[in-house]
Amino acid sequence: MVSGSCAVMAVVSSSSHLQGLVPFTSQPNCFPHQQLPGSVNGSYGLSSSSSSSSSKRFFTSLRACRSQVYGGLPITSFTSNYTMLTPASAAAAATYPSICAGVVNQLEKLAEREREVVFDLKSYMLAKAKAVNAALDEAVPLRYPEKIHASMRYSLLAGGKRVRPALCIAACELVGGSEEEAMPTACAMEMVHTMSLIHDDLPCMDNDDLRRGQPTNHIAFGEDTAVLAGDALLSLAFEHIAGASKKVSADRIVRVIAELGKAIGSEGLVAGQVVDIASEGDSSVGLETLEYVHIHKTALLLEASVVSGALVGGASDEEVEKLRQYARSVGLLFQVVDDILDVTKSSEQLGKTAGKDLLTDKATYPKLLGLERSKEFANELVRKAKEQLSSFDQQKAAPLLGLADFIAYRQN
Amino acid sequence: MVSGSCAVMAVVSSSSHLQGLVPFTSQPNCFPHQQLPGSVNGSYGLSSSSSSSSSKRFFTSLRACRSQVYGGLPITSFTSNYTMLTPASAAAAATYPSICAGVVNQLEKLAEREREVVFDLKSYMLAKAKAVNAALDEAVPLRYPEKIHASMRYSLLAGGKRVRPALCIAACELVGGSEEEAMPTACAMEMVHTMSLIHDDLPCMDNDDLRRGQPTNHIAFGEDTAVLAGDALLSLAFEHIAGASKKVSADRIVRVIAELGKAIGSEGLVAGQVVDIASEGDSSVGLETLEYVHIHKTALLLEASVVSGALVGGASDEEVEKLRQYARSVGLLFQVVDDILDVTKSSEQLGKTAGKDLLTDKATYPKLLGLERSKEFANELVRKAKEQLSSFDQQKAAPLLGLADFIAYRQN
């Protein structure tokens, strides 16, 4: 493919439910890190230019990279770069099929440089997940009474994607903080998330037997232990932030705890779950209630993850506000995609019971908007999320930009 | 009764299960606030001297006060004073049945002074409970979604004795802090306590239908809402400390949150409940396990209440340590008395199902030690608790001294 300036859509796996709606755009042949006027948010895209053998090799390599799978997911949309080829070299590559050695060398160097700054979300997320898993493992050792700790560890270390910790760490790093500073807060987000899954799965709630491809906590350990494991994880989340954040000032810790508390309680995910349960089987439930449920049940904890990471990292009020808006869009997106996946994937693919929303005639975006409009809504949310990051250093913002795509294009 | 220096046992209601074992001692005829060498902990006692008409009036009034009931409980042991009659006037009273007008006047003045400094635990606890109730009411308003807030308020505002908030505020005031500073933390203790009651009562746990004389939360609101109300209260506890403690430094708040978290989680009350459930029906359970359960299920939250109050009030490390030891004894005492009450009181008297421990053949102190030795153990714990307070200003320590008695001699 040889072209001049053009918008390029990232190739998405044919199995993606959002195929053809990927919001990536870029203007090729720009200088590295240049603002991309053609892009939706001026931030983010894939270079596609040159027919030179070197750049062919490069893009072949990039395509190979695209075909890699992250945790069973195509990572097509999660690998991106900011370094573009120069207009001059790209024009030469477009004009002359046979390129002189000098130009080849130049392109080789540029391609090398491009490889250097390519943001590899897969590696980033794997590295963060590994660090988070190690920190969680350490935070909840298997000690007396063994049963409760085994139950907590069973759900906590069940191999989730660690999206919330990743968002927390990425936000902290974006504003100048470190992974080390963010880690206790990042772990707390996963503890709270795990608690909400354990309690939501209980017979008196969603009554689910399967979670992440394994028996739910109460199936494995009994209802009493499952309730208590959730309580212990919830309590530990706050204790861990307060006790383990050795390099974070007390002022910041206090703000993080208030933020997290609000995201969980009767104005947070508990409120979402309550309204969700009350809405079950109610055919009159409309978009407003649906959005209330999704925002409260899911989005607020993602928002708390991002905002808390930013607070730990020392973000200004303005930065916190932008990241909060980013997180709100990403948070709602997360649940919209969940709704879509519930009707497009199998239980095996999801690692949890699929099609439950249909069975229970639950209000979902696909039910209220239709599948296609739900996908459009998801794309709009990705766009809005990224827009909030436009004023940040784009290289530093790469993880959060990538995470928005990851959440949009995940397959489970 | 006229006597010289003697130890005086406080009169305890005949219905008290600890009758005759009350550890109050005092040496009458001491100067106000004087260290009492004859007392067990040198801290605390009731004056008993003089046969003058004025002091008769005073002690008649004191006895009337003793017969008052706090929340259905005889307050005999909760009203104490530190101002004693002078040796000279008491000796005169002992020697001459007919006392001259001058001495009467002197005794009138002293009695007046005594009335002024009498510590009235009933009034203290009523005042604190009123303030705590108002603060809790404000902290959990009835808003959307109404059902979850109604459920939270149902259990939170069900009229408990507010022992934990009172301990918290008393500890804060003892070390120089104010009720206002302690209030968010005090409320948090009650929120956590309420959460633990709601979850412990669930069908999958203790399966209790009655609590504080009312249907348990899951009976009134359904199991799903009860689980979520507990979660919301637990989360709110931390959020409230972090968000509402406006006049407390962030350093202190962070320490309080770490302290509270530890008291709740898998090394705190959750651990106690897990081991308690595991021990049910196990006839081999001994004193060690029983103490583990009581310390974890009950004592640690009482300890957290006292220590957190002290931290908020700016206690030194040494003060914190003494108050921690006081609270450990009081905390264990609380559960020992609970065990005793379970076998000596009716459901109506307790406001919850009585005799459950016997029915389930649960390990309790009366079962393992016998009732009399359990009462002796309770008295020993009161003594140990008070001993830790001997180095504090005794007038300022009066609420905590009184609370130890209140916990020991409560009737439900």
Side-chain angles (χ1 to χ4, degrees):
Chain A
M1 183 177 77
V2 178
S3 67
S5 175
C6 66
V8 178
M9 300 300 275
V11 179
V12 177
S13 152
S14 62
S15 67
S16 167
H17 58 275
L18 294 173
Q19 189 183 7
L21 293 164
V22 185
F24 286 168
T25 59
S26 75
Q27 192 181 38
N29 308 335
C30 303
F31 285 100
H33 317 308
Q34 186 181 323
Q35 183 77 6
L36 305 176
S39 73
V40 172
N41 54 24
S43 65
Y44 193 68
L46 292 164
S47 160
S48 75
S49 64
S50 170
S51 60
S52 75
S53 59
S54 62
S55 45
K56 266 182 190 160
R57 278 201 302 280
F58 173 71
F59 287 108
T60 303
S61 151
L62 195 61
R63 273 192 296 277
C65 176
R66 281 174 186 154
S67 73
Q68 288 177 47
V69 170
Y70 173 70
L73 312 179
I75 60 155
T76 311
S77 52
F78 317 136
T79 303
S80 55
N81 69 68
Y82 298 87
T83 308
M84 310 299 168
L85 304 181
T86 64
S89 64
T95 311
Y96 308 105
S98 175
I99 306 161
C100 70
V103 176
V104 170
N105 285 343
Q106 193 184 353
L107 285 170
E108 289 277 12
K109 280 180 194 163
L110 285 165
E112 184 60 38
R113 192 168 158 195
E114 189 169 16
R115 268 192 293 275
E116 280 167 14
V117 295
V118 159
F119 175 69
D120 182 353
L121 186 70
K122 180 191 173 188
S123 300
Y124 181 87
M125 285 200 70
L126 283 176
K128 297 304 178 201
K130 194 178 169 188
V132 167
N133 287 340
L136 289 172
D137 183 45
E138 197 182 336
V140 188
L142 187 59
R143 58 186 149 194
Y144 184 82
E146 283 81 8
K147 190 177 180 185
I148 189 69
H149 291 102
S151 165
M152 291 163 75
R153 289 171 59 86
Y154 175 80
S155 294
L156 192 62
L157 304 175
K161 295 183 285 289
R162 313 304 186 201
V163 171
R164 291 157 193 81
L167 283 167
C168 179
I169 296 168
C172 181
E173 290 179 334
L174 172 57
V175 299
S178 69
E179 178 183 302
E180 188 187 358
E181 288 168 317
M183 191 56 82
T185 300
C187 286
M189 300 300 155
E190 197 65 20
M191 291 171 188
V192 170
H193 173 54
T194 304
M195 174 284 295
S196 77
L197 298 182
I198 295 172
H199 282 188
D200 285 4
D201 287 339
L202 286 169
C204 66
M205 303 258 229
D206 295 353
N207 194 19
D208 249 316
D209 292 347
L210 200 63
R211 171 72 65 183
R212 290 173 179 164
Q214 298 294 322
T216 44
N217 198 292
H218 64 273
I219 296 289
F221 293 88
E223 272 183 71
D224 50 358
T225 304
V227 170
L228 291 168
D231 293 348
L233 284 169
L234 178 49
S235 168
L236 180 59
F238 292 100
E239 181 193 348
H240 195 61
I241 295 173
S245 302
K246 301 293 181 198
K247 296 192 172 179
V248 183
S249 73
D251 283 344
R252 291 179 187 175
I253 292 174
V254 170
R255 286 184 70 186
V256 165
I257 283 164
E259 180 78 27
L260 178 58
K262 203 167 180 186
I264 300 168
S266 59
E267 293 180 277
L269 68 84
V270 164
Q273 179 71 352
V274 164
V275 176
D276 195 19
I277 291 171
S279 307
E280 222 162 89
D282 179 357
S283 57
S284 68
V285 168
L287 268 178
E288 199 181 339
T289 303
L290 181 66
E291 192 161 297
Y292 181 93
V293 169
H294 284 349
I295 285 175
H296 288 76
K297 202 171 161 180
T298 305
L300 286 180
L301 188 57
L302 288 157
E303 182 180 325
S305 301
V306 172
V307 170
S308 295
L311 290 171
V312 165
S316 67
D317 288 349
E318 194 189 344
E319 286 173 325
V320 167
E321 189 49 35
K322 281 180 180 163
L323 287 167
R324 189 183 292 285
Q325 295 305 324
Y326 157 86
R328 284 189 178 165
S329 294
V330 162
L332 189 52
L333 172 72
F334 195 97
Q335 195 64 44
V336 174
V337 172
D338 233 35
D339 279 5
I340 294 169
L341 290 172
D342 188 75
V343 293
T344 57
K345 299 289 170 186
S346 68
S347 296
E348 199 182 339
Q349 286 171 309
L350 294 182
K352 62 181 180 181
T353 312
K356 267 203 84 171
D357 298 343
L358 277 175
L359 273 177
T360 54
D361 195 30
K362 198 169 178 175
T364 64
Y365 281 97
K367 184 187 167 194
L368 296 180
L369 292 179
L371 195 56
E372 284 314 305
R373 279 191 59 206
S374 298
K375 290 175 180 176
E376 284 169 28
F377 183 50
N379 284 333
E380 172 65 11
L381 288 169
V382 182
R383 187 194 66 73
K384 281 177 72 177
K386 291 181 174 177
E387 205 169 46
Q388 294 296 331
L389 302 181
S390 60
S391 63
F392 288 93
D393 177 304
Q394 291 302 291
Q395 197 161 21
K396 284 186 181 169
L400 287 183
L401 291 163
L403 277 159
D405 288 322
F406 176 81
I407 287 165
Y409 309 121
R410 67 202 163 93
Q411 303 297 300
N412 65 12
Chain B
M1 185 175 78
V2 179
S3 67
S5 176
C6 66
V8 178
M9 302 298 277
V11 179
V12 176
S13 151
S14 61
S15 66
S16 167
H17 58 275
L18 293 175
Q19 191 183 7
L21 293 163
V22 185
F24 285 169
T25 60
S26 74
Q27 191 181 36
N29 309 334
C30 303
F31 285 100
H33 318 310
Q34 185 181 322
Q35 184 77 6
L36 306 177
S39 74
V40 172
N41 53 26
S43 64
Y44 192 69
L46 292 165
S47 159
S48 75
S49 63
S50 168
S51 61
S52 77
S53 60
S54 63
S55 43
K56 267 185 190 160
R57 278 201 305 279
F58 172 72
F59 287 109
T60 303
S61 151
L62 195 61
R63 272 194 296 277
C65 179
R66 282 175 185 153
S67 73
Q68 288 178 48
V69 171
Y70 172 71
L73 312 182
I75 59 154
T76 310
S77 52
F78 317 137
T79 303
S80 56
N81 68 70
Y82 298 87
T83 307
M84 307 301 168
L85 305 182
T86 65
S89 63
T95 311
Y96 308 104
S98 176
I99 308 162
C100 70
V103 176
V104 170
N105 286 342
Q106 191 184 354
L107 285 171
E108 289 275 15
K109 279 179 192 165
L110 284 165
E112 183 61 38
R113 193 168 159 194
E114 189 170 15
R115 268 193 292 276
E116 279 169 14
V117 294
V118 159
F119 175 70
D120 182 353
L121 186 69
K122 180 190 174 187
S123 299
Y124 181 86
M125 286 200 70
L126 283 176
K128 296 305 177 198
K130 193 177 170 189
V132 167
N133 286 340
L136 288 172
D137 183 46
E138 197 183 336
V140 188
L142 187 58
R143 57 187 151 194
Y144 184 81
E146 282 83 6
K147 190 178 179 185
I148 189 70
H149 290 101
S151 165
M152 292 162 74
R153 289 171 59 86
Y154 175 79
S155 294
L156 191 62
L157 305 175
K161 295 182 287 287
R162 312 305 185 201
V163 171
R164 290 156 194 82
L167 284 167
C168 180
I169 296 168
C172 181
E173 290 178 333
L174 172 58
V175 298
S178 68
E179 178 182 302
E180 187 187 0
E181 287 168 318
M183 190 55 83
T185 300
C187 286
M189 300 301 154
E190 196 65 19
M191 290 171 188
V192 170
H193 173 55
T194 304
M195 175 283 293
S196 76
L197 298 182
I198 295 173
H199 282 189
D200 285 2
D201 285 340
L202 286 170
C204 66
M205 304 258 231
D206 296 353
N207 194 22
D208 248 318
D209 293 347
L210 200 62
R211 170 72 66 184
R212 289 172 180 165
Q214 297 294 322
T216 46
N217 197 292
H218 64 273
I219 296 288
F221 293 89
E223 271 183 71
D224 50 358
T225 304
V227 170
L228 291 168
D231 294 347
L233 284 169
L234 178 49
S235 168
L236 180 59
F238 292 100
E239 181 193 348
H240 196 61
I241 295 172
S245 301
K246 301 294 182 200
K247 296 194 171 177
V248 183
S249 75
D251 281 344
R252 292 179 186 176
I253 292 174
V254 170
R255 286 183 71 186
V256 165
I257 284 164
E259 180 77 28
L260 177 59
K262 203 166 179 186
I264 300 168
S266 59
E267 294 179 275
L269 68 84
V270 164
Q273 178 71 352
V274 164
V275 175
D276 194 20
I277 291 171
S279 308
E280 222 162 90
D282 179 356
S283 58
S284 68
V285 168
L287 268 178
E288 200 181 339
T289 303
L290 181 67
E291 192 162 298
Y292 181 93
V293 168
H294 285 349
I295 286 175
H296 288 77
K297 203 170 161 181
T298 306
L300 287 180
L301 188 58
L302 288 157
E303 182 180 325
S305 302
V306 172
V307 170
S308 296
L311 289 171
V312 165
S316 68
D317 288 349
E318 194 189 345
E319 287 173 324
V320 167
E321 190 49 35
K322 281 179 180 163
L323 287 167
R324 190 183 292 285
Q325 295 306 324
Y326 158 85
R328 282 190 180 166
S329 293
V330 161
L332 189 53
L333 172 72
F334 196 96
Q335 195 64 45
V336 174
V337 172
D338 234 34
D339 279 4
I340 294 170
L341 291 172
D342 188 75
V343 293
T344 57
K345 299 289 169 185
S346 68
S347 296
E348 199 183 339
Q349 285 171 309
L350 294 182
K352 63 181 179 181
T353 312
K356 268 204 85 174
D357 299 342
L358 278 176
L359 273 177
T360 54
D361 194 30
K362 201 169 177 175
T364 63
Y365 281 97
K367 185 187 166 195
L368 296 181
L369 292 180
L371 195 57
E372 284 314 305
R373 278 191 61 206
S374 299
K375 290 174 181 176
E376 284 169 28
F377 184 49
N379 285 333
E380 173 64 12
L381 288 169
V382 182
R383 188 194 63 75
K384 281 176 73 176
K386 291 181 175 177
E387 204 169 46
Q388 294 296 329
L389 302 181
S390 61
S391 63
F392 289 93
D393 178 305
Q394 292 302 291
Q395 196 161 22
K396 284 186 181 171
L400 287 183
L401 291 163
L403 277 159
D405 287 321
F406 176 80
I407 288 165
Y409 309 120
R410 68 202 163 93
Q411 303 297 301
N412 65 10

